Amino acid sequence: MVIRSQSSAAGVLALLQEPDTVFKQHALKGLIPLVPQFWAEISEHIALIESLYESDDLPKAARHNAALLASKVYYFLGEYDEALSFALGAGSAFQAEARAHGAGEYVETVISNAIDRYVTLRTEEPSGSSTKIDARLQAIIESIFDRCIEEGEYRQAIGIALESHRLDVVNRIYDLTHDVSLLSYTMEAVLDTGFSLSYRDQVLNFLLPLFPPPTSLSKSPHIHALARLLVTLNRPSLVVPLLTSLIPKERLLAYQFAFDLVEGGAREFLQGVKADLPEGKEETQDIYDKLRKILDGQESVKLYLEFLKRNNKVDMLILKNTKEVLEARTSIYHTAVTLQNAFMHAGTTSDGHFEEGMTILGPYLPQAGGESQIQGAAYSEGGALYALGLINAGCGSGQPVENYLRETMKTAQGEVVQHGAALGLGISAMGGRSSDAYDDLKETLFTDSAVAGEAAGYAMGLVMLGSADQTSAEEMLTYARETQHEKIIRGLAMGLAFIFYGRQEEADSTITSLLTEKDPILRYGGVYTLALAYAGTSNNDAVRQLLHIAVSDTSDDVRRAAVTSLAFLLFKNPGQVPRIVQLLSESYNPHVRCGATLALGIACAGTGLQDAVEILEPMTKDGIDFVRQGAFIALGMILVQQSEASSPSMSSTRALYTKVVSDKHEDPMARFGLIDAGGRNVTISLQSRAGSKNTNAIVGMAMFCQFWYWYPLAHCACLAFEPTAIIGLNEDLKVPKFEFVSNARPSLFAYPPPATPPKRETFAKAATAVLSTTAKVKAREKKKAAADADAMDTDEKPEPKKDGDVDMKGEEGFAGKPTDGSPSTNAPEDVKPKRKSEPSSENVANFSRVTPTQLAYISFPPEGRYQPVRPVSLNTVPHKTSGKGNPNPGLRKAPSGVASERYAGGGGILLMVDERPDSEAEFISFEPPVVEPAPTENGHAQPQALVHRARPSRDFHIALDESSPDVDPPESFEYPFDS
């Protein structure tokens, strides 16, 4: 007997009209499973169902069924708030439904809405009291927490607790598990998502005392998180007690913390910690002195500069070839070669090398008597002042360089020198919030000089970086509305963006004001204000707003800036960016396409992300020159420090660069790239090694994007260069010689092979075309000559094409193919040589380059003399168990290349525990070696600067030694070069 399916709920609905409550109870119970099929029919009786829920005549269980029925009907109608309200009244019926099979989607939706409502109610109450929250809703949330904890889903519970401001739940979970990784997860969640600044600080202050004291024996993995937490809170009073508590037994850890704080901390914060440190007693005074020396930043700068100098792998042949193929008459090419040279040789920005900078730039700086009157000298003087600022970037207020640049700017008469001094002052005093420097810049701005005023606008914002100072913002905005100079308006608009850097919701009113301006340049500034205020937060509302501007604004500049600015929001989640900008990269508007290239480059810098490369490669053939330029810049950023083994696009991209640079038909603007930056020893990163925002890098990239309007601003990209090394130090801060292991194939993280000079091609002489009549004449002459020679055999007839045929067959023979159809006798050459097997790991010396992705593969042998006091990286990959069958040993479970994972701490400067302190140790000397100078072919010592050069030179060099006696001149110019 076939059971007929029910075609209507009318019969059951009719029972609701019956006066007997038994029928009504039966109807309510029977309708609940029918809702998914007949919800439209049941919805017509929703008023009756609601009245039954409120009726006192029915028992409690029946009213719960009525509430559940109403809730499910509203769910299918899409009224989720109403569905939640009735679900809260369903009590036991809803709980039974949650356990029933097939009700998952409805229950999940209701619970999700319950969490959202709870979060909304909690965040609306500053005090966090639960007076307005329905007890039934509270009970559902508590049951969710209990269930998560019972099932071990601690991170889900922490996520809900953070959003609903329930820090007591975080405390409860930690008391239960004592898992420090959960505290690190909580900290990262509150830092990397869109929580308000006040709540963020509240959570961080709550977490700080929960972290256990770090020890070097346990190699506490939470050291990275603790350093990031302290840098974010930016309060020296919290750091000093931690450092002083470590000094008695864990002084190496104290040094390590100091180095880690220098990596991500602001200059004012570090100076505050340094000032608050006690002098110490006799036995600890030396330790505190070393801590102050580290916190000053000089130790880090010295180590990284030495690393970059020793490991410089700049390929001079690339520079030489570029210089030769570019036309000398075009001024833009001089700038291009200069930028290429600067980026490839870039060291690290130093925050205290004022004297050295003055020595190097001395001949170009304005002299004490005032500006030079030589024609064109103003440009070199202004450029030197700008360079001085870059050398001393972010050194803070009150430093000698700030005072020098302020005086120079006030005494300068020409706008070009004022421009250079203002830019240099802004970059060097970045974030110092010096009122004196700000007032001096304001005076320069009020001269209403277009050139000097633009730089003053940038610099005013840089000096007040991240201050959210409303007075400064109002002054700058008012002047921008009054002036007629577009340059000044642009400088002030970007300056406003710098003032609100990292201030999130505090910048909202200014952002709204700027984005509604009629002047497109101020809207341009509004876009950057939005991007920098929410930098690194991946804030959904900010991303949505930028995407709307990118497709709706009437100004091409604003649209390009909106797309580019996505990178500043999303650099901690680079994997998201290709998906977001893919459609924009195919826009009809070339400015939007250009913005898409820069967004990919900045957000995915150093990741080698293949999705981004696949979008950019077709754009290198775009019909518009500046789109091609953006694509080349972005490819260089993404593929920086990638090898041919780790990135399949590396070799083709390098070949493309070489082709474009040498192509005389390529537009000048397209020839720009960053792939070999910093001697191939730096990466481009908007994050510090601990995962916090790298302020210098973010500001540098925002300034770099302004090269569209003034090309030399491209030099600001060097602020984002991050040296990638492992530098091990002992307790005396010396660099011992030791090795560690990289558990990956050497080719994965190798330097690119040096460029080879173009081979001088030797062409075989082509056979001369011979007319048939001439051939016949020559044949008769040969035949006659052969007949005259008695010893010559003349049976074979000469063939006129013999010479040409021989040449062709010779070439075929060279290729290994038989010339007569017979099997080849040169068998060994036909067989492809067997590929040499590559080792699955390699030993790496201290003071060597280790790329961010490579950190996960680094290990220190247990039997080694030196062991780090903290983990090299939080990302680890399982060691390879078998050397066969895996083409990429150790790579299968490598980190995905996502920036937030790549920079989960690690690398950089590591303090090492000496396991054998009684044994004699070897150290790396920083002084240039003076013994056994490298001889050149003429017998003289080679200059030390050339000894360190990565590529051997064949030129003759003479180093003068004033203490040595004069050498006799060679006789008759016959000098024995071979001796």
Side-chain angles (χ1 to χ4, degrees):
M1 181 178 175
V2 178
I3 299 174
R4 295 179 62 186
S5 60
Q6 194 166 348
S7 59
S8 172
V12 186
L13 286 168
L15 294 176
L16 293 176
Q17 308 289 346
E18 293 292 328
D20 193 339
T21 57
V22 176
F23 288 114
K24 292 178 180 177
Q25 292 177 49
H26 177 74
L28 289 170
K29 195 171 183 180
L31 283 170
I32 289 172
L34 298 178
V35 174
Q37 189 175 1
F38 301 110
W39 59 269
E41 190 177 353
I42 299 171
S43 66
E44 296 175 5
H45 299 80
I46 191 68
L48 176 58
I49 296 169
E50 289 183 23
S51 66
L52 291 174
Y53 162 60
E54 296 167 355
S55 171
D56 294 331
D57 298 335
L58 293 176
K60 188 175 182 180
R63 291 203 305 274
H64 285 176
N65 284 336
L68 179 61
L69 179 61
S71 174
K72 294 189 78 170
V73 171
Y74 277 121
Y75 163 72
F76 282 103
L77 287 170
E79 299 287 344
Y80 297 132
D81 288 337
E82 291 292 328
L84 173 60
S85 298
F86 281 103
L88 291 175
S92 58
F94 179 75
Q95 293 174 11
E97 180 73 14
R99 292 190 293 269
H101 179 69
E105 188 176 340
Y106 159 71
V107 172
E108 284 178 11
T109 305
V110 169
I111 289 179
S112 175
N113 275 274
I115 294 170
D116 289 344
R117 182 180 293 186
Y118 184 73
V119 167
T120 304
L121 291 171
R122 291 281 302 179
T123 51
E124 285 175 354
E125 299 171 6
S127 61
S129 62
S130 56
T131 50
K132 295 182 181 178
I133 297 175
D134 191 326
R136 299 170 300 177
L137 177 61
Q138 186 79 35
I140 286 181
I141 299 300
E142 294 297 340
S143 67
I144 291 171
F145 284 136
D146 292 340
R147 192 171 61 192
C148 286
I149 292 171
E150 284 173 14
E151 296 175 0
E153 298 290 347
Y154 301 120
R155 297 194 174 198
Q156 287 188 14
I158 288 173
I160 299 170
L162 279 177
E163 290 206 44
S164 58
H165 295 207
R166 287 287 302 275
L167 299 182
D168 59 302
V169 176
V170 179
N171 203 355
R172 174 183 160 195
I173 292 172
Y174 182 68
D175 288 342
L176 185 68
T177 61
H178 291 287
D179 186 351
V180 183
S181 66
L182 292 177
L183 296 180
S184 301
Y185 172 79
T186 308
M187 184 205 71
E188 288 167 7
V190 78
L191 287 176
D192 296 339
T193 47
F195 289 107
S196 67
L197 293 180
S198 57
Y199 179 59
R200 181 197 74 182
D201 290 347
Q202 180 189 343
V203 174
L204 295 181
N205 282 310
F206 164 77
L207 290 174
L208 184 58
L210 293 181
F211 278 102
T215 60
S216 55
L217 289 176
S218 63
K219 292 188 181 177
S220 312
H222 65 277
I223 293 175
H224 304 295
L226 204 49
R228 184 181 178 190
L229 189 153
L230 293 168
V231 164
T232 307
L233 285 175
N234 203 31
R235 284 166 53 194
S237 59
L238 297 174
V239 180
V240 174
L242 176 65
L243 292 176
T244 52
S245 68
L246 290 172
I247 282 175
K249 294 182 180 178
E250 299 282 357
R251 64 176 181 275
L252 286 179
L253 260 183
Y255 296 155
Q256 185 66 65
F257 259 112
F259 276 117
D260 289 348
L261 292 175
V262 170
E263 291 282 353
R267 174 58 42 190
E268 301 299 318
F269 165 66
L270 297 172
Q271 293 295 342
V273 176
K274 179 183 168 186
D276 291 350
L277 280 176
E279 289 297 324
K281 300 176 183 177
E282 289 184 11
E283 63 273 11
T284 59
Q285 186 175 2
D286 184 50
I287 299 172
Y288 281 112
D289 288 344
K290 283 180 182 173
L291 278 176
R292 274 186 279 272
K293 183 180 175 185
I294 295 168
L295 289 167
D296 197 40
Q298 294 305 299
E299 202 65 27
S300 299
V301 168
K302 182 183 77 172
L303 290 167
Y304 282 130
L305 279 174
E306 186 68 22
F307 159 73
L308 291 169
K309 188 170 69 175
R310 283 174 179 263
N311 295 278
N312 183 14
K313 300 291 183 187
V314 169
D315 200 331
M316 297 300 293
L317 194 60
I318 295 176
L319 275 173
K320 179 174 176 289
N321 292 344
T322 306
K323 182 172 177 291
E324 287 175 355
V325 299
L326 298 183
E327 300 171 31
R329 66 168 185 255
T330 311
S331 64
I332 193 172
Y333 288 151
H334 291 286
T335 306
V337 176
T338 307
L339 284 172
Q340 184 186 31
N341 187 29
F343 287 143
M344 290 172 75
H345 285 94
T348 179
T349 54
S350 160
D351 44 21
H353 283 62
F354 175 62
E355 293 81 6
E356 291 181 31
M358 293 292 287
T359 304
I360 297 168
L361 297 170
Y364 308 101
L365 290 166
Q367 302 305 311
E371 298 168 48
S372 172
Q373 301 304 314
I374 302 173
Q375 185 177 5
Y379 294 98
S380 65
E381 291 176 353
L385 293 166
Y386 172 34
L388 190 64
L390 285 171
I391 291 173
N392 296 276
C395 70
S397 61
Q399 299 296 321
V401 64
E402 180 191 330
N403 299 330
Y404 172 78
L405 288 168
R406 280 178 54 205
E407 288 303 318
T408 307
M409 184 175 67
K410 285 191 286 188
T411 56
Q413 300 299 318
E415 60 180 11
V416 175
V417 177
Q418 286 180 335
H419 180 278
L423 264 184
L425 177 58
I427 294 169
S428 63
M430 187 191 332
R433 305 181 188 180
S434 164
S435 57
D436 294 337
Y438 178 82
D439 291 341
D440 290 345
L441 288 164
K442 192 162 62 172
E443 286 182 22
T444 304
L445 174 72
F446 287 164
T447 61
D448 209 41
S449 159
V451 174
E454 180 185 27
Y458 287 130
M460 289 163 73
L462 289 170
V463 169
M464 305 301 287
L465 182 72
S467 65
D469 185 73
Q470 289 296 337
T471 306
S472 305
E474 284 297 327
E475 286 177 349
M476 292 167 70
L477 187 54
T478 303
Y479 194 83
R481 287 169 175 156
E482 292 174 355
T483 186
Q484 300 299 312
H485 296 294
E486 287 190 359
K487 283 178 174 291
I488 295 179
I489 299 172
R490 184 173 297 109
L492 289 169
M494 285 302 299
L496 284 166
F498 293 135
I499 284 180
F500 289 99
Y501 165 75
R503 304 307 298 186
Q504 298 187 20
E505 68 275 2
E506 295 176 27
D508 285 348
S509 59
T510 305
I511 292 167
T512 305
S513 170
L514 287 170
L515 291 177
T516 53
E517 290 280 345
K518 289 183 180 178
D519 189 337
I521 303 177
L522 286 176
R523 295 202 304 276
Y524 177 93
V527 166
Y528 273 101
T529 307
L530 174 62
L532 295 183
Y534 289 92
T537 62
S538 304
N539 185 281
N540 285 334
D541 292 335
V543 171
R544 197 177 297 115
Q545 200 169 356
L546 287 177
L547 288 172
H548 176 70
I549 295 168
V551 296
S552 64
D553 200 277
T554 54
S555 165
D556 285 337
D557 283 357
V558 177
R559 295 176 71 174
R560 185 184 68 252
V563 184
T564 303
S565 295
L566 289 169
F568 295 103
L569 292 172
L570 298 168
F571 65 79
K572 289 187 179 178
N573 298 294
Q576 305 271 350
V577 181
R579 182 175 55 83
I580 290 174
V581 304
Q582 184 167 13
L583 288 176
L584 295 171
S585 70
E586 299 167 6
S587 168
Y588 73 93
N589 188 322
H591 290 266
V592 173
R593 298 201 301 274
C594 177
T597 62
L598 289 177
L600 287 168
I602 294 170
C604 306
T607 62
L609 200 64
Q610 196 59 30
D611 291 344
V613 174
E614 287 171 2
I615 293 174
L616 289 168
E617 281 180 337
M619 300 180 80
T620 60
K621 303 179 182 67
D622 196 278
I624 306 296
D625 55 0
F626 59 79
V627 179
R628 296 198 299 277
Q629 180 191 54
F632 287 127
I633 293 172
L635 278 173
M637 290 180 176
I638 292 169
L639 295 176
V640 69
Q641 285 202 332
Q642 299 294 313
S643 68
E644 293 183 9
S646 64
S647 178
S649 305
M650 189 67 182
S651 54
S652 60
T653 304
R654 281 189 172 278
L656 182 63
Y657 278 157
T658 306
K659 173 182 174 295
V660 169
V661 166
S662 58
D663 185 358
K664 295 191 186 305
H665 301 289
E666 179 60 79
D667 193 278
M669 285 187 65
R671 309 183 191 182
F672 197 132
L674 291 162
I675 202 163
D676 281 339
R680 297 174 174 170
N681 291 305
V682 300
T683 190
I684 297 171
S685 169
L686 303 191
Q687 279 183 280
S688 71
R689 289 183 179 83
S692 56
K693 289 184 294 190
N694 186 341
T695 299
N696 277 17
I698 294 170
V699 170
M701 274 298 155
M703 290 289 284
F704 169 79
C705 292
Q706 310 313 309
F707 77 85
W708 183 277
Y709 306 103
W710 192 57
Y711 223 66
L713 285 175
H715 285 296
C716 290
C718 68
L719 297 177
F721 292 169
E722 189 79 21
T724 54
I726 284 185
I727 300 174
L729 304 179
N730 69 355
E731 62 180 350
D732 297 323
L733 305 187
K734 294 182 179 178
V735 185
K737 291 183 179 179
F738 64 87
E739 290 187 339
F740 48 89
V741 180
S742 173
N743 297 290
R745 292 184 293 126
S747 62
L748 282 175
F749 305 110
Y751 287 103
T756 53
K759 293 180 180 177
R760 201 181 291 274
E761 297 183 17
T762 56
F763 297 98
K765 190 174 180 181
T768 307
V770 182
L771 295 173
S772 57
T773 52
T774 310
K776 290 176 182 177
V777 170
K778 286 186 177 181
R780 283 198 295 270
E781 288 175 355
K782 284 184 179 180
K783 191 173 182 180
K784 184 178 179 183
D788 293 341
D790 295 331
M792 187 74 71
D793 184 5
T794 58
D795 288 346
E796 290 183 359
K797 294 182 179 179
E799 297 178 10
K801 293 184 182 178
K802 187 72 175 177
D803 293 340
D805 288 343
V806 168
D807 282 347
M808 291 175 66
K809 288 177 182 178
E811 290 174 10
E812 289 175 4
F814 181 81
K817 296 180 182 177
T819 58
D820 55 357
S822 61
S824 172
T825 57
N826 194 9
E829 291 187 10
D830 289 343
V831 179
K832 193 177 271 188
K834 189 176 181 181
R835 188 176 178 182
K836 187 180 178 183
S837 62
E838 190 178 3
S840 60
S841 64
E842 63 173 329
N843 289 342
V844 183
N846 186 23
F847 226 68
S848 297
R849 180 184 90 155
V850 177
T851 65
T853 317
Q854 189 179 3
L855 286 171
Y857 301 94
I858 297 300
S859 65
F860 285 78
E863 68 278 3
R865 175 173 177 176
Y866 293 96
Q867 298 295 329
V869 296
R870 65 158 166 82
V872 178
S873 172
L874 297 184
N875 293 320
T876 54
V877 290
H879 290 183
K880 190 174 70 70
T881 55
S882 170
K884 298 177 181 178
N886 185 2
N888 290 348
L891 191 61
R892 187 169 53 86
K893 295 187 179 179
S896 61
V898 174
S900 55
E901 293 179 357
R902 289 164 57 244
Y903 289 94
I909 299 170
L910 289 172
L911 268 294
M912 313 298 292
V913 178
D914 190 349
E915 302 287 353
R916 298 192 287 275
D918 298 331
S919 304
E920 189 176 348
E922 288 187 78
F923 296 99
I924 297 175
S925 173
F926 284 7
E927 285 73 26
V930 291
V931 293
E932 298 182 8
T936 57
E937 294 184 14
N938 62 359
H940 289 284
Q942 192 172 356
Q944 192 57 44
L946 297 169
V947 173
H948 287 296
R949 205 175 267 179
R951 190 174 53 82
S953 175
R954 301 296 297 170
D955 301 331
F956 297 108
H957 299 285
I958 299 175
L960 296 177
D961 184 358
E962 296 179 358
S963 61
S964 62
D966 293 339
V967 180
D968 295 332
E971 298 178 2
S972 305
F973 299 96
E974 294 179 358
Y975 191 81
F977 286 102
D978 297 331
S979 60

